[in-house]
Amino acid sequence: MRLRNITGSREVIAQSPFVVSEEILFTCPGTWGERFGNTHPIRIEIGMGKGRFIHTLAKAHPEINYVGIEKYSSVLLRAIQKMESEELPNLKFIRMDAEDIEKVFAAGEVDRIYLNFSDPWPKDRHAKRRLPSREFLARYDRILKKDGVIEFKTDNRALFDFAVEELAPAGWRAEVVTYDLHGDAALMQDNVMTEYEEKFSSMGNPIYKYVICR
Ligand code: SAM
């Protein structure tokens, strides 16, 4: 996903009205309602890539505020370009490493978290970097509302098995677990495809998904 050497991507991001500037990022906790100018629920996607998923959701749900988080400028640039061609008032972007997520959202400020096709970090010593790891679940626990949920999709079986095993020790439980999302008509009714989901499902890979709560 990382698109290397896109000249000027940092400059474009710094000037984009759709991106919350890095200078004020850590003043954001507790102010997201003001930032959007309403009290609608806030849903975030961590590792949004080029942003098709969150842009589609934001367009379909103007009554919900969305924040897309992406580590790399070169990738975030694509999401910005999509907003330039179709601007949505209920969608904002942040360029950051999700390790700092608690510095950006206050306790209980987030209504739902989406993790889509997160990087697998296959080496054991990198397990803490996986976005559905217990270390990240502890961070999500603090920013998510009491009845908030996390939705996670992937085609990576090893990552999905790891994510399911992390739930009990981290104090979470599954409301939904499927090993064949695209074969489940009920779950597919409001499924929004991500870029990776389209690519890997078209190759015949099954898509795994969970929805979890505490
Ligand atoms: N969610 C998109 C999709 O399903 O098409 C993109 C999936 S891509 C495999 C994973 C994305 O997560 C990459 O763009 C990567 O830069 C981003 N990412 C990985 N770790 C991250 C982190 N700690 N914080 C923010 N973004 C991260």
Side-chain angles (χ1 to χ4, degrees), residues 1 47 70-72 96-98 116-117 119 194-196:
M1 172 59 75
E70 170 53 50
K71 188 155 66 167
Y72 293 112
M96 68 177 280
D97 188 317
N116 290 316
F117 295 78
D119 292 341
T194 79
E195 277 99 352
Y196 270 62

Side-chain angles (χ1 to χ4, degrees), residues 1 45-50 69-72 75 96-99 116-119 121 129 131 136 194-197:
M1 172 59 75
E45 183 186 12
I46 301 178
M48 71 167 173
K50 297 179 194 170
I69 297 165
E70 170 53 50
K71 188 155 66 167
Y72 293 112
V75 186
M96 68 177 280
D97 188 317
E99 272 185 11
N116 290 316
F117 295 78
S118 307
D119 292 341
W121 292 104
R129 298 184 191 174
L131 292 179
F136 271 99
T194 79
E195 277 99 352
Y196 270 62
E197 184 173 356

